[in-house]
Amino acid sequence: MSFQNPLFIPGPTNIPEAIRKACDMPTIDHRSPAFARLFKPAVEGVRRVLRMAGGEVIILQSTGTGGWEAAISNTLSPGDTVLAARFGMFSHRWIDLCQRHGLNVQIIETPWGEGAPLAAIEAALRADEAGRIKAVLATHNETATGVKSDIAGIRRAMDAAGHGALLFVDGVSSIGSMPFEMAGWGVDIAVAGSQKGFMLPAGLAILGVSDKALAAMEGATLPRTFFDFRDMLKSYAAGGYPYTPAVGLISGLAKAVEMLEDEGLEAVYARHARLAEGVRRAVAAWGMKPCAVSPELYSDTVTAVVVPAGCNGTDLVKLAADKYGVAFGVGLGEVAGKVFRIGHLGMLTDVMVLAGLATAEMCMADLGWPVKLGSGVAAAQEFYRGSVVPMAMAAE
Ligand SMILES: *Cc1c(COP(=O)(O)O)cnc(C)c1O
């Protein structure tokens, strides 16, 4: 008997059987044409998922954090200034990484639960007449608070200020699950990870790099070796890697893109939007609210649920794991204990989400929280049954 339940953490996500099979392969020579045949569809698929025009896809053996590091170390020099808003644990950690690399981070402190502050970003860029700011860093989906930021809006702010900085976007918990337009939004580096929307195990950082970012690479003097895009691109040209690639994960990535495109990217985004709306209906029925302060900020991949006064979100997460074998996300940093997080991205259906909501309710009842069993589930059921795309149609 297996006691495997679906996961409701916002990454790593549930892995489809087909992707597990694609990752499970015998050793091949990574300098052989067989590897090139496997690698090419993965790279081309990522290019389509990111909606790139020009530039290069870079796939690193790392996690998303390594993707952040590669983005800055390949394009910037010690002492360079970057502009970033801090409004959650992931935007905070990217800022910390930049500081540890000797960059000067101009930080716009923003309350947790809000998104990237467009007016403040524009004002900071307008004030930078000397052009000291080399890059703007943006966390598309702040996984700690369940907040989606308006990347197109940041591009408009940059253009309105007439500023030529690069735009780097952390899309680790959005890419492959929520609409992302690398070319359309003028993103210079987009960072994704294998273990979220791509439904793979952790182990790959997946980057889209624009031609403008590639040009910045030549003058950049931050040290880099393992992550050096120049070595990568040289080997890429020959269909290979400067070092031993994670062949199984790359095979899985090609499969993941195939699955996303078979469903259709628009359908994938619509499914995530529906799943998320059902979760939010449940949260409202519990008499609770998302941490995101307004509806346009609501993430379609993760909901951070603010727990009632006197309750501790971490207690729920611990009980769900210990008693029911189900994983939810704890609150991080400033919102530790104040929220618990429901991840709703990757391989998930209405029925799976209902199981997660039912488990959360059992935990609430066990903990004596003021919630009626079935209330959130019923609200989500009403929404799902009214908006479902019948399986028989989805399969066609
Ligand atoms: C998961 C995540 C990361 C990267 O985390 P890794 O564990 O290094 O893959 C970065 N940013 C966001 C927004 C994330 O959700």
Side-chain angles (χ1 to χ4, degrees):
M1 172 60 193
S2 158
F3 295 97
Q4 180 67 55
N5 284 316
L7 282 163
F8 299 97
I9 49 175
T13 61
N14 302 291
I15 306 176
E17 191 61 23
I19 290 183
R20 285 167 56 170
K21 285 187 172 146
C23 292
D24 181 3
M25 56 181 289
T27 306
I28 61 164
D29 176 3
H30 61 281
R31 304 201 189 279
S32 69
F35 177 70
R37 279 197 295 276
L38 205 128
F39 188 45
K40 203 163 168 253
V43 165
E44 285 172 356
V46 167
R47 176 180 285 284
R48 293 191 299 273
V49 171
L50 293 178
R51 311 259 285 182
M52 292 172 70
E56 296 279 356
V57 170
I58 302 267
I59 299 174
L60 302 167
Q61 330 295 298
S62 145
T63 68
T65 306
W68 287 340
E69 180 162 337
I72 65 150
S73 67
N74 277 282
T75 55
L76 301 172
S77 301
D80 277 356
T81 298
V82 298
L83 179 68
R86 172 154 54 200
F87 46 82
M89 201 56 172
F90 291 90
S91 40
H92 165 71
R93 284 182 42 212
W94 202 3
I95 289 168
D96 174 55
L97 182 143
C98 290
Q99 289 172 331
R100 292 202 226 175
H101 276 74
L103 297 175
N104 170 38
V105 189
Q106 189 173 329
I107 303 170
I108 305 175
E109 297 292 353
T110 307
W112 287 37
E114 293 183 11
L118 302 186
I121 290 171
E122 184 175 333
L125 293 169
R126 281 188 193 279
D128 179 37
E129 282 165 12
R132 282 168 43 255
I133 296 169
K134 299 291 182 237
V136 176
L137 312 184
T139 304
H140 184 204
N141 189 70
E142 176 49 82
T143 317
T145 55
V147 163
K148 167 182 72 180
S149 282
D150 178 5
I151 304 300
I154 295 178
R155 168 48 65 198
R156 279 197 301 276
M158 293 173 74
D159 291 348
H163 201 291
L166 296 160
L167 173 57
F168 295 168
V169 178
D170 173 352
V172 179
S173 63
S174 56
I175 288 169
S177 312
M178 285 157 52
F180 193 89
E181 298 286 344
M182 175 141 180
W185 298 341
V187 174
D188 291 299
I189 298 188
V191 180
S194 52
Q195 79 277 23
K196 299 194 182 174
F198 287 106
M199 305 172 285
L200 285 156
L204 299 178
I206 300 161
L207 287 84
V209 184
S210 75
D211 289 320
K212 186 174 167 188
L214 290 171
M217 197 164 70
E218 290 316 319
T221 61
L222 271 175
R224 67 242 195 221
T225 306
F226 183 67
F227 288 143
D228 199 324
F229 291 167
R230 291 168 298 190
D231 295 338
M232 299 290 301
L233 293 172
K234 222 180 286 161
S235 307
Y236 265 31
Y241 257 77
Y243 47 78
T244 319
V247 175
L249 288 176
I250 290 167
S251 163
L253 178 59
K255 187 66 184 180
V257 171
E258 186 188 314
M259 289 180 74
L260 291 170
E261 293 189 322
D262 277 355
E263 184 178 349
L265 284 177
E266 296 310 317
V268 170
Y269 302 150
R271 174 168 55 82
H272 281 82
R274 282 186 62 254
L275 294 175
E277 180 59 22
V279 170
R280 292 190 289 260
R281 301 268 177 124
V283 171
W286 295 333
M288 298 178 201
K289 283 196 165 118
C291 179
V293 296
S294 57
E296 77 279 5
L297 299 174
Y298 291 163
S299 163
D300 285 339
T301 60
V302 54
T303 301
V305 183
V306 179
V307 302
C311 300
N312 187 323
T314 306
D315 293 345
L316 181 146
V317 175
K318 190 170 176 339
L319 185 67
D322 292 349
K323 186 170 177 185
Y324 301 109
V326 171
F328 295 103
V330 293
L332 301 170
E334 260 183 37
V335 292
K338 295 180 189 156
V339 306
F340 77 97
R341 293 176 302 148
I342 303 175
H344 34 79
L345 75 161
M347 184 191 69
L348 277 183
T349 63
D350 300 0
V351 169
M352 289 160 87
V353 171
L354 288 170
L357 296 171
T359 309
E361 286 183 355
M362 289 195 286
C363 294
M364 292 174 192
D366 294 346
L367 292 165
W369 294 11
V371 163
K372 191 169 167 291
L373 276 182
S375 56
V377 170
Q381 285 171 317
E382 282 300 347
F383 176 72
Y384 290 149
R385 73 191 189 90
S387 62
V388 69
V389 181
M391 277 293 158
M393 277 167 59
E396 269 164 22

